Amino acid sequence: MKLLHIDSSILGDNSVSRQISAAVVKVLRAEDPGLNVVYRDLGATPAPHQSGSLLAARGLDPAARTPTQASEVADADAILDEFLAADIVVIGVPMYNFGIPSQLKSWIDHIAVAGKTFRYSEAGVEGLAGDKRVILISSRGGFYGPESPAAGLEHQESYLRGFFGFIGIKDVEVVIAEGVNISADQKQAALQGAVAHASGLGRLLRAA
Ligand SMILES: Cc1cc2nc3c(=O)[nH]c(=O)nc-3n(C[C@H](O)[C@H](O)[C@H](O)COP(=O)(O)O)c2cc1C
């Protein structure tokens, strides 16, 4: 079983989502000591943006690529290959300006590949990545639940659920720490609640 662990917070050791994603991976490792974990830190090393030069390099015969072009293509291919190989994907995702960090968006731009993770057919769009389990670790400074005044600004979880659904993944679970910038007490309570939620995730792995 392969697990891809991704963090996208820019806050390093002060990050809430990083603490919770690490707790989730720890629980899953305890359940399956043979779990093969690959870690990608998009905060430290963002995925390169899609670009005209990358597209141009892809259009060339590999033998005709410059070393820089070959390296750009290899970096992008590695992102897609890591995702395709994973059975479980754990993603630490803070809310930034009501959406996801741009570092995570540029990662997504490398895994949304026609013919690999989705395809268009006469029947419409077909997701090709449906065999995976995705666990999103969401952290937010405020509150964005359905009853909150800011619910309409929630474009983080809804975007990711939409994206992973588009590529065929139905098994999406969200572990959330909300209101972490409201007060120190709320931050602590949100963190504890999320870690408690994480401790239950291993049972799902065993049942899978
Ligand atoms: C650049 C930036 C933008 C943010 N935008 C929002 C936002 O739109 N809504 C919100 O509730 N919190 C926002 N926050 C607060 C973070 O969501 C919150 O601090 C969260 O814990 C960050 O996750 P992390 O601790 O894993 O880094 C923002 C923080 C940063 C650094």
Side-chain angles (χ1 to χ4, degrees), residues 178-189:
E178 272 203 304
V180 303
N181 291 349
I182 300 290
S183 70
D185 284 351
Q186 171 58 30
K187 181 176 184 176
Q188 194 57 26

Side-chain angles (χ1 to χ4, degrees), residues 146-160:
E147 306 302 325
S148 76
L153 294 172
E154 196 291 296
H155 305 293
Q156 173 210 28
E157 178 181 334
S158 53
Y159 169 74
L160 291 172

Side-chain angles (χ1 to χ4, degrees), residues 2-192:
K2 290 188 177 171
L3 184 149
L4 174 59
H5 176 190
I6 290 174
D7 278 319
S8 58
S9 165
I10 58 171
L11 294 186
D13 290 344
N14 294 318
S15 157
V16 171
S17 61
R18 284 173 184 268
Q19 288 182 62
I20 304 166
S21 75
V24 167
V25 172
K26 192 173 171 189
V27 167
L28 298 180
R29 261 192 209 275
E31 286 292 312
D32 178 2
L35 200 60
N36 178 353
V37 178
V38 172
Y39 181 60
R40 186 174 277 270
D41 186 345
L42 296 174
T45 311
H49 280 117
Q50 288 289 354
S51 66
S53 70
L54 178 59
L55 278 181
R58 284 205 181 284
L60 294 173
D61 186 288
R65 290 174 188 152
T66 66
T68 303
Q69 288 172 322
S71 160
E72 278 182 356
V73 172
D75 287 349
D77 285 350
I79 290 170
L80 177 63
D81 291 346
E82 266 173 20
F83 176 74
L84 292 175
D87 302 292
I88 307 173
V89 184
V90 176
I91 304 177
V93 51
M95 176 183 273
Y96 286 170
N97 298 309
F98 314 116
I100 65 171
S102 57
Q103 291 87 343
L104 183 60
K105 176 59 169 57
S106 53
W107 177 85
I108 284 176
D109 288 344
H110 291 291
I111 64 168
V113 180
K116 296 283 188 180
T117 50
F118 70 94
R119 70 175 159 227
Y120 292 111
S121 69
E122 287 182 4
V125 178
E126 185 189 352
L128 302 175
D131 56 342
K132 299 183 197 309
R133 176 185 181 196
V134 170
I135 304 172
L136 303 173
I137 317 302
S138 159
S139 54
R140 302 163 171 173
F143 291 97
Y144 298 85
E147 306 302 325
S148 76
L153 294 172
E154 196 291 296
H155 305 293
Q156 173 210 28
E157 178 181 334
S158 53
Y159 169 74
L160 291 172
R161 281 189 182 277
F163 172 72
F164 286 115
F166 178 83
I167 62 171
I169 302 178
K170 294 187 177 67
D171 189 356
V172 178
E173 181 158 3
V174 179
V175 179
I176 188 162
E178 272 203 304
V180 303
N181 291 349
I182 300 290
S183 70
D185 284 351
Q186 171 58 30
K187 181 176 184 176
Q188 194 57 26
L191 191 51
Q192 280 174 358

